[in-house]
Amino acid sequence: MIVISMSTPWSMIDSLKKWITILSDHVDCLQIPYDEMQEYKQSLIRQFQEYVEPESESGPGPVTALAPPRRPQNPLHPPATTQGGGSGADLVPLGEYTFTTNLGLPIVVVVTKSDAISTLEKEHDYREEHFDFIQQRVRNFCLNYGAALCYTSVKEEQNCDLLYKYLLHRIYGFSFNVPAYVVDRNAVFIPSGWDSDSKISILNESMTSISVADSYADIIVKPSSRKQVTRDADVVAEDEQVFLARQMVALSKAPNPRQESPIRPVSNQKSTSQRAVGSPGSITVSPKKVSDAAKPGTSQEGVLANFFNSLLSKKTGSPTTPVKADKAAATRDAAAELDRMNRLKKEPMWSSSSQ
């Protein structure tokens, strides 16, 4: 059994030639004795000539029940007395292109996916004459090798059961009463022995723009391959540990974010220098004001007023705002300043008493 597909009709003939060559080479490798091989070939020719079309069926409809008994002889190569019962003179002579190549074994050509005919019409603009041209070439091939032909479609459940019953008939000798059927282009069935050159020539009547002599490859052209859609490259995620290690290296090379800015050391240096002079915190009291505060005629309220006025003048005239961290130190220095002023106020009294 050689299987080809209607979904790719441009490769059907090449596929048939390929597999028949492989089958022929395999038969030659078997080294069957010449007399035995000749008997096989003659039995196939007798079976082809003695074929009688059954009259109980008009198409490839439901197959009737099979007769259970098996014949004692080999159904694939029956002897001359089992087919028809007539003499050799009563047999129909073979046509010019019938059994031109006899391999000595029965062959069945199966065309699968016959439902693809509608797809070919829509997508590739195939017409009725294209399918007649395909059928004509396939039937000529089958006639050259004495093969049967069957179109099947699993999707449409077409001829699958019929093919099964016909294989049982040819292999095991069960009865088979389904005639040939060529009306429906999707369900062609031609048993071995039915076809002839005259029957195939009927297909030529429907081919108006196609000649029988045209090359198969010129009529049934393989469509150009569709443009491949460019797909974006797949993005591969980086390993988590590799990503973290790379970030750690980058962070180690970056400057320390906690490093003090160059502005802060200036303020610290300024406050340090102010404390070194001996002034209270960030405030420097002029000697003139201290001496005025030390005079005996100056009251305590005046000293305090001068002190707070100096604070206000320093705050408004300062180019920068004091740092929050120096507030506590300024409070302590103010208390120390008041204490010192009180001591200075009491010193004249001590000096006058001693005199």
Side-chain angles (χ1 to χ4, degrees):
M1 186 170 66
I2 301 176
V3 180
I4 53 179
S5 176
M6 182 60 76
S7 60
T8 55
W10 44 86
S11 63
M12 291 174 64
I13 300 301
D14 291 338
S15 182
L16 287 173
K17 293 179 180 179
K18 170 187 174 182
W19 289 110
I20 202 67
T21 302
I22 295 175
L23 183 60
S24 178
D25 294 341
H26 176 71
V27 172
D28 294 339
C29 293
L30 297 178
Q31 297 181 355
I32 301 175
Y34 177 80
D35 294 340
E36 186 176 353
M37 178 58 70
Q38 291 301 316
E39 177 60 30
Y40 291 158
K41 292 180 179 181
Q42 291 299 322
S43 66
L44 290 180
I45 294 176
R46 286 194 303 268
Q47 185 272 334
F48 193 93
Q49 292 175 323
E50 293 174 353
Y51 173 79
V52 178
E53 185 173 6
E55 299 179 356
S56 61
E57 299 276 351
S58 59
V63 182
T64 58
L66 301 175
R70 292 180 55 184
R71 301 177 182 178
Q73 67 276 355
N74 184 2
L76 293 175
H77 303 284
T81 56
T82 61
Q83 296 285 339
S87 61
D90 297 334
L91 297 178
V92 179
L94 297 178
E96 180 181 0
Y97 299 102
T98 305
F99 261 121
T100 56
T101 304
N102 192 344
L103 298 181
L105 71 164
I107 299 174
V108 178
V109 175
V110 180
V111 180
T112 61
K113 298 184 180 181
S114 62
D115 54 277
I117 291 178
S118 58
T119 304
L120 294 172
E121 289 177 331
K122 296 177 182 178
E123 296 184 359
H124 303 288
D125 297 331
Y126 276 39
R127 299 184 302 274
E128 186 72 25
E129 57 183 349
H130 288 90
F131 300 110
D132 290 341
F133 181 78
I134 295 171
Q135 184 185 145
Q136 183 252 355
R137 289 301 176 90
V138 175
R139 286 173 64 178
N140 280 331
F141 176 88
C142 294
L143 189 62
N144 293 336
Y145 291 88
L149 175 63
C150 185
Y151 281 32
T152 63
S153 173
V154 176
K155 182 179 179 181
E156 301 294 338
E157 297 182 357
Q158 193 77 46
N159 284 356
C160 296
D161 185 63
L162 174 65
L163 175 62
Y164 173 72
K165 300 298 175 53
Y166 181 74
L167 292 177
L168 291 180
H169 163 68
R170 293 293 290 120
I171 297 173
Y172 299 108
F174 287 94
S175 63
F176 185 80
N177 58 355
V178 179
Y181 186 76
V182 294
V183 177
D184 188 357
R185 62 183 182 179
N186 296 350
V188 175
F189 171 67
I190 301 175
S192 176
W194 178 86
D195 214 353
S196 63
D197 296 331
S198 59
K199 294 177 181 178
I200 297 176
S201 63
I202 299 176
L203 296 173
N204 302 337
E205 299 176 358
S206 62
M207 293 186 289
T208 57
S209 61
I210 300 176
S211 174
V212 181
D214 290 339
S215 173
Y216 187 86
D218 294 338
I219 303 301
I220 310 300
V221 182
K222 181 179 180 180
S224 59
S225 58
R226 296 179 180 178
K227 184 179 180 181
Q228 296 182 355
V229 180
T230 57
R231 298 180 55 188
D232 296 336
D234 296 336
V235 179
V236 181
E238 186 179 7
D239 185 71
E240 181 180 359
Q241 298 301 323
V242 175
F243 171 77
L244 294 176
R246 184 161 51 84
Q247 296 299 321
M248 184 179 66
V249 173
L251 291 175
S252 63
K253 294 180 180 180
N256 188 4
R258 296 184 179 181
Q259 186 177 1
E260 295 181 353
S261 63
I263 300 177
R264 292 195 62 180
V266 175
S267 61
N268 293 338
Q269 190 175 14
K270 180 179 178 181
S271 61
T272 305
S273 62
Q274 289 175 350
R275 289 192 182 96
V277 174
S279 61
S282 62
I283 303 170
T284 304
V285 181
S286 61
K288 183 178 180 180
K289 292 182 179 181
V290 174
S291 61
D292 292 340
K295 291 181 180 181
T298 306
S299 62
Q300 183 176 1
E301 291 77 4
V303 174
L304 292 175
N306 292 333
F307 171 72
F308 288 109
N309 287 332
S310 65
L311 289 176
L312 291 174
S313 62
K314 280 290 183 181
K315 184 175 182 180
T316 57
S318 177
T320 57
T321 304
V323 185
K324 292 181 179 180
D326 296 338
K327 287 184 177 182
T331 303
R332 291 193 299 271
D333 292 343
E337 181 66 20
L338 290 174
D339 189 28
R340 191 175 63 82
M341 291 170 60
N342 289 332
R343 287 198 305 270
L344 291 175
K345 185 177 180 181
K346 293 179 182 180
E347 284 181 0
M349 300 176 58
W350 294 341
S351 58
S352 62
S353 62
S354 61
Q355 292 178 355

